[in-house]
Amino acid sequence: MVELNLHPWNAAFTWVDHHGPFSTISAAQVRAFDELGYFVVDGAFSPEIMAELDHALAPGDARAKEFLAHAPNGRFSVAGLDTQVVAPHAVTRSEFARRFVADPKLAGIARDLVGPDVRLYWEQSVYKQPHGAEPVLWHQDNGYTYVDPQAYLTCWIAITDATTENGCVAVMPGAHRRGTLAHEHTPIGEECWGDWARAVEVPVTAGSIVVFSSLTPHATKRNRTDAVRKAYIVQYAPPEAIAVRAEPCREAAPRREPLGDDDRRAWIVRAGELLTS
C-alpha cells in the first residue's frame, strides 16, 4: 500500500465548502460532496440516450484498441486490451458527444460545484474488458496531471450497469479534503494511498452519474464478468485552471502551462448561463 502523504506541490491546500445558491443539486448532495467527496445522481439519462452515447463513443474505442494492439503487451499505462480501453476526446469527433457534455444535467452540476464560469477539461470513455487482468489502482484524477486549482469536477456516467462484479467505482470518503496526495508511478498507472478495508464501493445503474472531486481517491476492481462495463468520464474546471508539470531536471521549478483553448475545452457555463451545444 502506498503511504498516506501529500503531493510535494500540495503545500497549503484548504478545501472550501460550497454554500450556493444551487440550481441543480440538493442540499444533501452538496453536503455529501463536501464531507465525503462524492454523491450519486440515479437514473439521470434514459436507456435511449445511453445507447446513442455508446454509438458515438464506438469509433474512439475502436481507434484505441487499434493503438493498443501495436503497444508492447497490448498495454499503455492504465489502458490495456486485457484491462480497460480508454479513448479520450470524443468531443473532437462526435457532435452528439459535444452536446452531451453540455447537457443541462451535467452543466447544472458543474455550475453548482465549480462556479459561474466552467470549461470542459477532459472527457474519455473507459470500457472495462471482460475478465480483466488488472484493476485500476487507487488514484486521484489530479494525480495524473497536476491541475491548479487542485479541485475540479469529475462526472462518471455509467453507460451500462456498474456493479461490484464488473468494476464499479470505489472511493475513500473524506480523503479529498487533504488535497492532492503523493502518487507513485506503476506499470498500470499512477497509485496513491487507498484502503479497501475502509473504502465504499458505489454500484450504479446505467444512466446514473457518480459525481466526485478530482481529489477523491478512487479505484475500480477487475471486471470479473462476461460483458464489457462501459463508462464515460467527463471533467469540468474553472477557466483559469492550469497544468503544473515537472521539468526533466527535478531540481528545476515546475512549469505552469495553460490547459489550452481549443475544441477539447469548450465553454460549458459562462457568467452563470448554461451554454447548450
Side-chain angles (χ1 to χ4, degrees):
M1 179 188 299
V2 176
E3 293 185 1
L4 177 55
N5 292 314
L6 297 182
H7 191 286
W9 296 340
N10 175 16
F13 177 80
T14 300
W15 179 267
V16 178
D17 287 341
H18 296 78
H19 298 291
F22 305 109
S23 64
T24 304
I25 60 179
S26 68
Q29 289 170 328
V30 174
R31 186 166 55 253
F33 188 79
D34 284 334
E35 294 179 2
L36 304 176
Y38 79 101
F39 64 88
V40 173
V41 181
D42 288 313
F45 298 103
S46 69
E48 293 77 17
I49 293 295
M50 290 297 92
E52 193 167 356
L53 178 61
D54 186 27
H55 179 74
L57 298 175
D61 181 66
R63 184 179 301 180
K65 285 179 178 176
E66 182 179 0
F67 169 81
L68 289 170
H70 294 90
N73 301 314
R75 298 273 185 85
F76 184 78
S77 185
V78 71
L81 289 172
D82 60 350
T83 55
Q84 48 272 323
V85 177
V86 180
H89 310 321
V91 294
T92 65
R93 300 182 296 270
S94 165
E95 177 62 31
F96 181 84
R98 286 191 290 273
R99 294 197 309 270
F100 184 83
V101 299
D103 183 279
K105 297 183 184 71
L106 294 169
I109 294 170
R111 177 172 58 186
D112 286 349
L113 295 176
V114 177
D117 295 294
V118 182
R119 297 188 76 158
L120 180 68
Y121 165 52
W122 189 267
E123 42 78 35
Q124 62 186 24
S125 60
V126 180
Y127 284 14
K128 190 177 277 286
Q129 301 303 294
H131 303 288
E134 301 285 358
V136 174
L137 302 172
W138 288 108
H139 69 283
Q140 298 166 303
D141 290 334
N142 213 45
Y144 273 82
T145 296
Y146 191 99
V147 173
D148 186 20
Q150 296 179 46
Y152 58 87
L153 182 67
T154 296
C155 292
W156 195 100
I157 299 109
I159 300 173
T160 58
D161 291 349
T163 69
T164 55
E165 291 75 29
N166 70 9
C168 66
V169 171
V171 300
M172 292 302 304
H176 65 295
R177 298 182 70 92
R178 297 175 181 265
T180 308
L181 303 179
H183 285 66
E184 295 181 2
H185 184 70
T186 83
I188 58 171
E190 302 301 310
E191 183 178 18
C192 73
W193 169 85
D195 184 354
W196 281 104
R198 297 166 53 189
V200 174
E201 292 186 274
V202 190
V204 291
T205 57
S208 299
I209 311 168
V210 186
V211 180
F212 54 91
S213 170
S214 59
L215 299 174
T216 302
H218 58 287
T220 62
K221 294 179 178 178
R222 295 183 301 111
N223 180 357
R224 303 190 303 273
T225 73
D226 296 330
V228 179
R229 189 232 66 195
K230 300 180 179 183
Y232 186 45
I233 292 91
V234 185
Q235 297 174 325
Y236 302 98
E240 69 273 15
I242 61 168
V244 183
R245 305 185 191 277
E247 296 286 353
C249 174
R250 289 183 176 271
E251 295 181 359
R255 305 189 313 276
R256 298 172 68 84
E257 300 176 350
L259 293 179
D261 186 12
D262 55 32
D263 290 343
R264 294 176 298 172
R265 296 205 61 235
W267 282 94
I268 302 299
V269 185
R270 205 162 195 174
E273 297 295 323
L274 306 188
L275 305 179
T276 56
S277 178

